[in-house]
Amino acid sequence: PQKFHLGITPRVGGITLLCGLMGGAVIASSKGILPSSLVWNWLAALSPVFLAGLAEDLTKVILPGWRLLASFVSAGLGCWLLGATINRLDVANLNTLLVTVPVLAIAITIIAVAGICHAFNLIDGYNGLAGGVAAMVLCALSYVCFQVDDRQLLSICLITGAAVLGFLVWNYPRGLIF
């Protein structure tokens, strides 16, 4: 239902993104920018949502609910393997609650990450729309990471942004791959 391109177009763009992520992560790890344990945990965390997306791209029979479940699993793995949780929302009493009740912080993180992932699934299909939005979001996140001196997250944002821009070369304006 979200097909806006004409003709047969390969739907395996996620593979190109994963290759870009892996290549950038290996380089960053070999240069000492990112610890190898972080790289492997990051790739492990994104595996369920990647595999669900790939299965959908290849078979076209995976229901959106299963892809959403895969994004919840990936977000949960990110919380567990990377220790990545939302611990502050700048709402007076909620910040204290997030710190004192870690399960709440994990639940909010999983819902937020899965929601963003599924939102990108919804805008996918137009030539360059999801990739363009992702590139803008990653630029903004990179700037914030730079401002707060979070070099590891800055590296991950830049690696992901580079992979997205590489994908956009093939996707926009003619949509040679999705």
Side-chain angles (χ1 to χ4, degrees):
Q2 292 175 296
K3 182 178 176 183
F4 298 100
H5 50 282
L6 301 173
I8 297 172
T9 306
R11 294 172 45 109
V12 290
I15 293 173
T16 63
L17 286 171
L18 183 64
C19 289
L21 290 176
M22 289 175 62
V26 166
I27 291 169
S29 179
S30 70
K31 299 284 184 187
I33 298 168
L34 293 174
S36 62
S37 62
L38 184 136
V39 168
W40 289 112
N41 287 341
W42 175 41
L43 293 173
L46 64 83
S47 293
V49 76
F50 169 77
L51 293 172
L54 182 62
E56 164 59 21
D57 289 344
L58 295 175
T59 66
K60 300 178 186 170
V61 297
I62 306 298
L63 296 173
W66 286 108
R67 293 193 318 264
L68 180 61
L69 178 63
S71 64
F72 278 115
V73 171
S74 281
L77 284 172
C79 290
W80 178 49
L81 296 172
L82 301 169
T85 58
I86 297 171
N87 296 318
R88 192 175 116 194
L89 292 172
D90 285 340
V91 176
N93 294 328
L94 190 55
N95 286 345
T96 305
L97 194 58
L98 290 173
V99 172
T100 56
V101 184
V103 172
L104 180 62
I106 291 168
I108 288 174
T109 302
I110 289 172
I111 291 168
V113 170
I116 290 169
C117 181
H118 211 59
F120 272 93
N121 278 336
L122 293 175
I123 64 171
D124 196 15
Y126 278 113
N127 295 353
L129 179 61
V133 170
M136 289 186 278
V137 167
L138 288 162
C139 283
L141 288 173
S142 295
Y143 178 73
V144 171
C145 292
F146 177 76
Q147 290 295 314
V148 300
D149 200 32
D150 188 338
R151 294 176 188 259
Q152 287 184 344
L153 189 54
L154 173 62
S155 298
I156 289 171
C157 288
L158 292 174
I159 289 166
T160 308
V164 168
L165 290 174
F167 168 76
L168 282 174
V169 168
W170 297 103
N171 187 261
Y172 184 82
R174 294 174 302 283
L176 301 174
I177 190 169
F178 280 95

